[in-house]
Amino acid sequence: MNKIRIGILGYGNLGRGVQLAIKQNPDMELVGVFTRRDPSSVEVNDPSVGVYLVDQAKDFQDKIDVMILCGGSAKDLPEQTPLFAQLFHTVDSYDTHALIPQFFAKVDEVAKVSKKVSVISVGWDPGLFSLNRLLGEVVLPQGNTYTFWGDGLSQGHSDAIRRLDGVKNGVQYTLPVKEAVERVRSGEQPSLSTREKHTRECFVVLKEDADKDQVEQQITTMPNYFEDYDTTVHFISEDELQKNHSGMPHGGFVIRSGESEANEKQLMEFSLKLESNPNFTSSVLVAYARAAYRLGESGQSGAKTIYDIPVGLLSLKTAEQLRSELL
Amino acid sequence: MNKIRIGILGYGNLGRGVQLAIKQNPDMELVGVFTRRDPSSVEVNDPSVGVYLVDQAKDFQDKIDVMILCGGSAKDLPEQTPLFAQLFHTVDSYDTHALIPQFFAKVDEVAKVSKKVSVISVGWDPGLFSLNRLLGEVVLPQGNTYTFWGDGLSQGHSDAIRRLDGVKNGVQYTLPVKEAVERVRSGEQPSLSTREKHTRECFVVLKEDADKDQVEQQITTMPNYFEDYDTTVHFISEDELQKNHSGMPHGGFVIRSGESEANEKQLMEFSLKLESNPNFTSSVLVAYARAAYRLGESGQSGAKTIYDIPVGLLSLKTAEQLRSELL
């Protein structure tokens, strides 16, 4: 069997996770890592994997089938996906929900010309959660969908804390409100405000001369990030932070609470409990890289989302095996 | 908008559920119910819906787009699906897992000739549970998948009880063993025997002269149905049975417990809690009827399973709407 040849663009948490996930998928091989840093400074711990400058990727058109784009949604992917969809099938985890339509249109245009498949916005949200939001509303058209996130470390909120004056280091956890989850699971279909669905908990290491109260005030009133939530701030030492808060757990639930036309309550729930958020997202990216490759082999092209792809294409198994072993 | 024209074959619990589910889907209309009984004896409570003999279905080729087959898997569907796939797009809930490959092959052959789409084995298991078993193993290739059913009424086991001498009436509930579910949710990945995963609880109404102990003995030792399980038998009155046990609740969980290549525990879970098992299965059938119709319109034909169908086709919404509203 010819292996699917994968490239990784961007070697942060997500890129390293893709490298790990490929090892669990025997039909794939990692050809190279592409970076904007000096390649000699990037340690991939695998002598068979080359490290190259981003600009060198164009020389790999015959050596890589799918490029997995591991950059951020704010600045990297809006540029990188349209660029790399000219050269390879691509998969990314673009997660700026509000801008997905424009992003899709731009990528689709490019990928149709290059005859490549570009799977955008996969991971768990957007991604598996999106899939379940759709299943919920099509199977139970009468009802409400609830998405809860957490318990989990939010990278964006942690960054926002770390940017504050007086803060040396810090992390932020998003927690679903247990009572709200229980009300939804009971079939009640409540209307829930932002504040009623999630709380935020911060663990902050102060700089030496910082004012505790002022930092707490700055956090809890920060627009968009914290002001609409009940936020708890704990001040801890750097040692404690390193010891207890260096993981990247996350998770959440998508719950569809509906009723049949005969007024029976029907509940669907999808949940994730992840010790590593980036390594799970990477695993989803790698599965969709397989689907991108197969769609490409079958002659398809253009941008695709999780809604466009038959799930059977994600599996190493043949359609026959899936029917006899899993259905 | 032209509505998708639906026919129902078989008017039991599932057929009645399909009729109800169609009312929640404004792009569909129910054209007719087809039955082996005397049509005048079948009350569908809707003057706009005709009731016809099964043999009359062939006269509806221009009037029905998708025929939803609501018969049983033991005797009805093995005959009906290959027959009706000659005339219409079809959807069924064929659930004899071990025979799905043969069933698929036979239906596929017929539907390719007739140029119809025949979606087989949808509902929740096989169906949404199968989808989640697949997602689990592709995203977390290192790990184990656990399917638990219940709390729920099992039609087959209830029937087995009712066939016994001395039994006037009865129902059987399948219950997942809570400790086993908790062990799996903790990420432990235990090996679980049949007995360790589920228990069975029976509520039995005796005939007047029946021997309680003998009936209990017959139930708990019944091969295939009960002997491999811890089974509890309660004897109750017919009144109590009618009052407390006339619903058809069901549900269950598919849990994938895996680990990343860096040994972090990662847990995916899909669960259902249903007050009406048949009305939920019907809702899934109706959503897949939409997909069958659309696949047919796009020129596809042959047998399809839940693994072959992009989930976006299940929705009334356009691909653009899905991307902007749900992704």
Side-chain angles (χ1 to χ4, degrees):
Chain A
M1 182 175 69
N2 282 334
K3 293 195 175 191
I4 303 173
R5 301 165 302 170
I6 306 287
I8 291 174
L9 178 64
Y11 197 67
N13 287 328
L14 208 54
R16 284 192 295 270
V18 167
Q19 183 184 15
L20 290 173
I22 288 170
K23 293 186 189 177
Q24 297 189 337
N25 289 277
D27 62 332
M28 297 188 181
E29 62 177 327
L30 177 57
V31 173
V33 166
F34 298 84
T35 177
R36 283 173 300 202
R37 292 179 272 169
D38 171 4
S40 69
S41 74
V42 175
E43 179 50 76
V44 297
N45 298 308
D46 183 342
S48 73
V49 175
V51 183
Y52 311 94
L53 277 172
V54 170
D55 289 344
Q56 294 176 270
K58 60 184 181 306
D59 304 327
F60 283 78
Q61 267 197 278
D62 297 332
K63 302 185 189 76
I64 287 175
D65 299 307
V66 186
M67 186 68 86
I68 302 184
L69 309 178
C70 299
S73 295
K75 294 184 181 162
D76 303 330
L77 298 173
E79 283 188 15
Q80 290 173 344
T81 308
L83 201 62
F84 283 85
Q86 296 172 22
L87 306 171
F88 309 100
H89 302 310
T90 67
V91 183
D92 70 49
S93 61
Y94 184 75
D95 68 358
T96 311
H97 292 260
L99 301 178
I100 285 175
Q102 295 94 297
F103 184 72
F104 179 93
K106 195 168 170 188
V107 174
D108 191 48
E109 197 185 339
V110 172
K112 282 207 171 114
V113 172
S114 65
K115 297 197 173 14
K116 300 293 182 186
V117 171
S118 198
V119 180
I120 68 157
S121 302
V122 289
W124 59 276
D125 197 356
L128 300 179
F129 272 24
S130 321
L131 189 87
N132 279 279
R133 282 189 287 265
L134 183 141
L135 287 174
E137 70 172 45
V138 299
V139 174
L140 300 172
Q142 218 91 281
N144 281 299
T145 302
Y146 299 85
T147 303
F148 291 95
W149 296 276
D151 303 3
L153 185 109
S154 161
Q155 210 56 62
H157 286 76
S158 299
D159 287 343
I161 292 174
R162 289 191 287 257
R163 279 193 300 263
L164 292 175
D165 281 344
V167 172
K168 186 181 165 206
N169 209 340
V171 297
Q172 192 267 184
Y173 296 98
T174 303
L175 310 174
V177 174
K178 284 202 177 60
E179 294 71 29
V181 176
E182 288 316 311
R183 284 176 70 191
V184 171
R185 282 196 183 132
S186 76
E188 199 190 312
Q189 297 188 36
S191 286
L192 296 168
S193 67
T194 299
R195 193 177 296 275
E196 287 171 317
K197 287 182 72 186
H198 297 94
T199 56
R200 300 196 176 278
E201 191 167 17
C202 311
F203 293 85
V204 177
V205 182
L206 289 173
K207 285 183 184 159
E208 250 184 35
D209 53 351
D211 179 331
K212 215 169 176 169
D213 292 342
Q214 204 190 339
V215 167
E216 180 163 351
Q217 169 79 1
Q218 278 183 289
I219 293 174
T220 56
T221 59
M222 199 187 297
N224 301 318
Y225 285 87
F226 292 100
E227 73 170 348
D228 296 332
Y229 298 86
D230 290 336
T231 301
T232 315
V233 182
H234 307 278
F235 293 99
I236 61 174
S237 68
E238 181 72 35
D239 278 358
E240 213 179 326
L241 188 89
Q242 296 304 334
K243 191 174 152 219
N244 300 328
H245 303 284
S246 57
M248 281 177 282
H250 221 310
F253 327 86
V254 175
I255 305 177
R256 179 68 174 184
S257 174
E259 55 274 317
S260 72
E261 192 66 12
N263 288 315
E264 297 115 341
K265 285 183 183 172
Q266 312 277 49
L267 217 71
M268 303 167 68
E269 177 170 342
F270 178 75
S271 67
L272 294 174
K273 197 176 158 192
L274 311 172
E275 284 188 356
S276 171
N277 178 3
N279 285 349
F280 187 79
T281 302
S282 313
S283 299
V284 181
L285 288 172
V286 167
Y288 276 90
R290 180 180 292 120
Y293 175 76
R294 290 184 176 173
L295 285 171
E297 291 294 292
S298 76
Q300 292 209 41
S301 66
K304 308 282 174 191
T305 75
I306 202 162
Y307 297 138
D308 304 316
I309 300 174
V311 292
L313 292 181
L314 300 171
S315 175
L316 190 52
K317 295 178 178 169
T318 64
E320 291 73 21
Q321 280 179 295
L322 292 179
R323 287 192 292 270
S324 69
E325 295 172 19
L326 276 189
L327 196 65
Chain B
M1 181 175 68
N2 282 335
K3 293 194 174 190
I4 302 173
R5 300 164 304 171
I6 306 287
I8 291 174
L9 179 65
Y11 197 67
N13 287 328
L14 208 53
R16 285 192 293 272
V18 168
Q19 183 184 14
L20 289 173
I22 289 169
K23 294 185 189 178
Q24 297 189 337
N25 288 278
D27 61 333
M28 297 188 179
E29 63 177 325
L30 176 58
V31 173
V33 166
F34 298 84
T35 178
R36 283 174 299 205
R37 292 178 272 170
D38 172 3
S40 69
S41 74
V42 175
E43 179 51 75
V44 296
N45 297 310
D46 182 343
S48 72
V49 175
V51 182
Y52 310 95
L53 276 172
V54 170
D55 290 344
Q56 294 176 271
K58 62 183 180 307
D59 305 326
F60 282 78
Q61 269 197 277
D62 299 331
K63 301 185 189 77
I64 286 176
D65 299 307
V66 187
M67 186 68 87
I68 301 184
L69 307 178
C70 299
S73 296
K75 294 184 181 162
D76 303 330
L77 297 174
E79 284 189 13
Q80 290 174 343
T81 307
L83 201 63
F84 283 85
Q86 296 173 21
L87 306 171
F88 309 100
H89 302 310
T90 66
V91 183
D92 70 49
S93 60
Y94 184 74
D95 68 358
T96 311
H97 292 260
L99 300 178
I100 286 176
Q102 295 93 299
F103 183 72
F104 180 92
K106 195 167 170 191
V107 175
D108 191 48
E109 198 185 339
V110 171
K112 283 209 171 113
V113 172
S114 64
K115 298 195 173 18
K116 299 293 180 185
V117 171
S118 199
V119 181
I120 68 158
S121 301
V122 288
W124 58 276
D125 198 354
L128 299 180
F129 273 24
S130 322
L131 189 85
N132 279 279
R133 282 190 287 265
L134 183 141
L135 287 175
E137 70 171 44
V138 299
V139 174
L140 300 172
Q142 217 91 280
N144 281 298
T145 302
Y146 298 85
T147 303
F148 291 95
W149 297 276
D151 302 5
L153 185 110
S154 162
Q155 209 56 62
H157 287 76
S158 299
D159 287 344
I161 292 174
R162 288 190 289 256
R163 280 193 298 263
L164 292 175
D165 280 344
V167 171
K168 188 180 164 206
N169 208 341
V171 297
Q172 192 266 183
Y173 296 97
T174 303
L175 311 174
V177 174
K178 283 200 179 59
E179 295 71 28
V181 176
E182 288 315 312
R183 283 177 68 192
V184 171
R185 282 196 183 133
S186 77
E188 198 190 311
Q189 298 189 37
S191 286
L192 295 169
S193 67
T194 299
R195 193 177 295 275
E196 287 171 315
K197 287 182 71 186
H198 296 94
T199 56
R200 300 197 176 279
E201 189 167 20
C202 311
F203 293 85
V204 177
V205 183
L206 289 172
K207 285 184 184 157
E208 249 183 34
D209 53 351
D211 180 330
K212 215 169 175 169
D213 293 341
Q214 205 190 337
V215 167
E216 181 163 348
Q217 169 80 1
Q218 278 184 286
I219 293 173
T220 56
T221 59
M222 198 186 297
N224 301 319
Y225 285 87
F226 292 100
E227 73 171 347
D228 296 332
Y229 298 86
D230 289 336
T231 301
T232 316
V233 182
H234 306 277
F235 293 99
I236 60 174
S237 68
E238 180 72 35
D239 279 357
E240 214 179 326
L241 188 89
Q242 297 304 334
K243 193 174 151 220
N244 299 328
H245 303 283
S246 56
M248 281 176 281
H250 220 311
F253 327 86
V254 176
I255 305 177
R256 179 69 175 183
S257 175
E259 54 275 316
S260 71
E261 192 67 12
N263 288 314
E264 297 115 342
K265 287 184 181 169
Q266 312 276 49
L267 216 72
M268 301 166 69
E269 176 170 343
F270 178 75
S271 67
L272 294 174
K273 198 176 158 194
L274 311 172
E275 283 188 359
S276 171
N277 178 3
N279 285 349
F280 187 80
T281 301
S282 314
S283 297
V284 181
L285 289 172
V286 167
Y288 276 90
R290 179 181 293 121
Y293 175 76
R294 290 184 177 174
L295 285 170
E297 290 293 293
S298 75
Q300 293 208 41
S301 66
K304 308 281 175 192
T305 74
I306 201 162
Y307 296 139
D308 305 314
I309 300 175
V311 293
L313 293 181
L314 299 171
S315 175
L316 188 53
K317 295 178 178 168
T318 64
E320 290 75 21
Q321 279 180 296
L322 292 178
R323 288 192 292 270
S324 69
E325 295 172 19
L326 276 188
L327 196 63

